[in-house]
Amino acid sequence: MRILAYFKVTPDYEALRESEWSAAAGRVPSSGGGEGTSRGPSADGGAGPGRGEHAGPADGVDTRYVRRILDCFDESALEIALRLSDALVGRGRAAGLGALSIGAPGAEPHLKTLLALGFERAARVHTEAALDFAPAATAALIAAYAGRIDRSDLLVLGARSSPGGGGTVPFRVAEQLGWPCLTQVTEVEPLADGRLRVTLMGDDGLQRLTARTPCVLAVGNAVVSHLRVPTLTDRLAVRDRQPDVLEPADLGVDLADVLRREGPSLAALEGIDRHREGVLIAGDTPRAKAQALFDARLKSLLEEL
Amino acid sequence: MRFTVVMDGTSAGAADGTPAGAGEGTADRTADGPSGGIHRRAAALGAFLRDGLKSDSAGASRGAIDAQLAGDTLVFYSDERAKDRLVALAPTRDVRLVRIEARRPERMAALLSARAEGGQTDLFLFAGGPAGTELATRLACRSGGQALSEVLSAETAPDRLSCRRSIYSGHLTGRFELSARPWCVAVDPSWADAGGSETVAHTIVSAIDETGGGGPDPFEDRERMEAPSSEDLAGSSFVVVAGSGAGDRQGVRRIAAAAREMGATFGVTRPVAMNAWAPMDRLIGVSGARTAPALCIVAGASGAPAFFWGIERASLIVAVNTDEHAPIVGEADLVLLDDAVAVLEELAAIVAAEREKR
Ligand SMILES: Cc1cc2nc3c(=O)[nH]c(=O)nc-3n(C[C@H](O)[C@H](O)[C@H](O)COP(=O)(O)OP(=O)(O)OC[C@H]3O[C@@H](n4cnc5c(N)ncnc54)[C@H](O)[C@@H]3O)c2cc1C
């Protein structure tokens, strides 16, 4: 089974202060690409006036000073793919495990880590174009790589990713490849006959079902949420290996053209007001504060409830 | 502008082709899914049409779009009982029925895309949740239209549809413009909390049976599993939440015990669930349950938007946090700057003592 795990490297948005978010609100976004820089030439060339996401004056959200992390559901997906591969190998079956990311070189250290963890293949499709709010373009690149270059049987990726979070990419890839897709996957076990036993939390609740490859598995709230860490020995063993770098054209994708047809486009950012009073309940000890809270509000409220 | 509301009354079926919901009690079981069940999801579409869809030319929320006349409702269903309840929830007069043995997203997308071909429908509206997102996306891919999921509100203009949805994990709202038609929109799951629309007299304009067509289910041996439910959180009037500030598994257990002592329903933030300090069904936020209690005590959580969405409808929010700069401090009504576990245990003791007194 040729397994491909796709992941995205994103700015750690949780590290941004409240003031950065309020500054971003009201801006016309240009979608701050993977590296927080401006739009790439292909995106520019493709966008007409008014196409907010490619044509804005400045990045909507300034992420230049925050670190890059693995997007959380993609991190789950990578570890689930690794465990699946381990389980297959443990049963004496071949599991060719590959990893793919798209964007500027920010993904490179993560790809090296994956090589150290036993991924056979690690590739990056290089583009400076802003794909944060371009799910169709993202899906076109993933599908082209999986179908034409990697010839994968199974694609594992996060069910949604920052900052768009729409959760449409797995279905778009599935459409392009003509594969079925399961989303909100939480566990994957190999069966003896090469099929997969998949657990997922769907609209109808928790389900288990059997999938044949090829298919797309989009990982949701899995308990497996952290990617394992390679040992120094693992790292040294792959020290001379470099991830493959491909251009969209190598995949047969005319990215400028795909971006021209991309939609919906992000036209504006708005802030969200979550402000409440925040009245401080004072006291010298936890006991005193708890008592003050109880006397002030909880006593009467709990009687009502 | 013409629209079609797509109500998905199917459920993922059994492998042997037995219609889902055919067995004893299954229809009721499917109504209890985590995204609010088939019927709440369907009713949400009516609520969205009533309050979420506006016409910019008239500037009015309704009337401008006469929901009964400008659109129709397409109901996918597998069993009769589910069908009748869904038809009753249809927000338009005209209803089209499509019977299919179980949820088959690719077949359903093909059927919808055939309907889209005539170009008569500008907007296809889907329920919130993964199944609605899948149909919206697959239809857009096949019909050359554009898809957007988790839509909070939409405004029509002659040449585009302007939609708002939450982005950056809830830190901002984005306004998106859909140009190429059909516009394939899945509404935000929170519309399920908005109540249904008024009842409409329905005309069944077509009824087709697609059972048996289009090949086998790509997935086999489906098995529904009993999962602990988070329904209790959604319906609770008093919720206590433990966040990472609880420190460790023991701290989370102590806050859970304090919650039990006070008669509160216990919930946690994502890191707590991910560390397996509490089961996944306790998760509150965009990835878990959405609560609406009269009282919510948030102990040791920073108040990230993806979490806050799950408690924003609480009437009174009390934050217990050691950091006066934590976002939750500005998002709460009352704030106690102290250790989460210590305060919750003291509070539980006070509540217990008060109970003794009476
Ligand atoms: C797509 C996506 C979906 C997500 N969905 C959800 C979701 O559904 N639910 C969810 O919760 N999160 C979700 N998250 C994660 C969310 O963004 C936050 O990371 C998470 O809510 C933070 O959890 P926390 O507040 O427990 O931890 P932290 O952010 O680490 O906050 C811990 C808080 O505890 C305080 N603290 C520390 N020690 C103490 C002490 N002794 N006593 C009192 N306070 C103390 C700290 O000051 C801090 O404010 C999602 C993220 C993404 C990207």
Side-chain angles (χ1 to χ4, degrees), chain A residues 160 163-164 166 175 195 197 203 206 208 210 212 221 265 267-268 270 274 276 278-279 281 287 289 299, chain B residues 35 138 142 149-150 164-165 168 170 173 175 177 220-221 223 225 287 314 330 332-333 335 337-338 354:
Chain A
R160 55 173 76 215
E175 276 291 309
R195 296 181 304 162
R197 194 76 182 141
D203 280 334
L206 196 64
R208 195 164 280 169
T210 299
R212 292 172 195 284
N221 276 324
S265 59
E270 297 169 12
R274 299 193 169 89
R276 296 197 187 202
V279 176
I281 305 281
R287 171 89 195 176
K289 288 173 199 170
K299 188 169 194 292
Chain B
S35 343
R138 286 191 182 269
R142 286 166 195 227
S149 62
E150 297 174 3
R164 292 167 63 256
R165 70 181 302 278
Y168 291 98
T173 302
R175 190 161 57 71
E177 303 213 314
E220 304 158 292
D221 303 331
E223 176 193 346
M225 313 212 330
S287 323
D333 300 286
V335 177
L337 293 177
D338 215 317
E354 191 72 16

Side-chain angles (χ1 to χ4, degrees), chain A:
Chain A
M1 189 183 304
R2 256 178 108 76
I3 306 169
L4 179 67
Y6 167 78
F7 69 96
K8 180 174 180 179
V9 174
T10 59
D12 182 3
Y13 292 108
E14 309 228 336
L16 288 178
R17 291 167 182 283
E18 236 8 79
S19 56
E20 320 257 16
W21 294 113
S22 23
R27 280 190 200 147
V28 177
S30 69
S31 174
E35 299 300 288
T37 53
S38 59
R39 21 210 180 127
S42 45
D44 256 333
R51 291 290 306 257
E53 88 190 82
H54 307 309
D59 283 347
V61 179
D62 186 353
T63 58
R64 277 171 300 173
Y65 304 107
V66 298
R67 66 183 180 138
R68 288 341 192 215
I69 55 169
L70 284 177
D71 213 85
C72 65
F73 291 104
D74 289 342
E75 180 170 357
S76 271
L78 288 170
E79 181 61 31
I80 282 179
L82 257 175
R83 291 188 186 194
L84 175 61
S85 156
D86 289 348
L88 285 165
V89 171
R91 290 170 193 204
R93 305 177 69 94
L97 184 57
L100 171 72
S101 193
I102 298 173
E108 218 78 345
H110 296 281
L111 288 163
K112 294 267 310 190
T113 300
L114 294 172
L115 287 172
L117 287 175
F119 278 69
E120 280 176 0
R121 322 178 295 285
R124 177 171 63 89
V125 176
H126 178 81
T127 167
E128 299 281 346
L131 298 182
D132 273 348
F133 294 98
T138 304
L141 293 172
I142 298 173
Y145 180 82
R148 293 185 201 141
I149 309 287
D150 197 57
R151 303 194 175 277
S152 341
D153 306 306
L154 174 68
L155 174 67
V156 187
L157 77 177
R160 55 173 76 215
S161 65
S162 298
T168 67
V169 168
F171 301 124
R172 291 176 193 271
V173 176
E175 276 291 309
Q176 296 204 17
L177 292 170
W179 294 1
C181 178
L182 292 172
T183 194
Q184 302 304 326
V185 168
T186 57
E187 278 175 56
V188 185
E189 299 280 338
L191 296 177
D193 59 4
R195 296 181 304 162
L196 300 169
R197 194 76 182 141
V198 180
T199 310
L200 58 88
M201 185 52 119
D203 280 334
D204 310 318
L206 196 64
Q207 264 194 59
R208 195 164 280 169
L209 46 81
T210 299
R212 292 172 195 284
T213 55
C215 71
V216 176
L217 299 181
V219 174
N221 276 324
V223 180
V224 173
S225 57
H226 295 293
L227 180 64
R228 66 190 72 171
V229 178
T231 63
L232 189 59
T233 320
D234 294 337
R235 285 203 181 274
L236 287 173
V238 297
R239 134 189 84 186
D240 298 327
R241 288 197 57 195
Q242 292 305 323
D244 299 331
V245 178
L246 297 95
E247 297 289 330
D250 300 331
L251 316 179
V253 174
D254 180 347
L255 188 60
D257 183 57
V258 178
L259 281 168
R260 218 182 336 269
R261 286 180 282 114
E262 178 82 52
S265 59
L266 176 57
L269 300 174
E270 297 169 12
I272 301 167
D273 186 10
R274 299 193 169 89
H275 188 75
R276 296 197 187 202
E277 215 53 44
V279 176
L280 201 66
I281 305 281
D284 291 335
T285 60
R287 171 89 195 176
K289 288 173 199 170
Q291 189 68 54
L293 173 68
F294 184 77
D295 295 342
R297 292 299 288 277
L298 293 207
K299 188 169 194 292
S300 55
L301 199 52
L302 290 177
E303 271 163 19
E304 279 168 38
L305 294 181

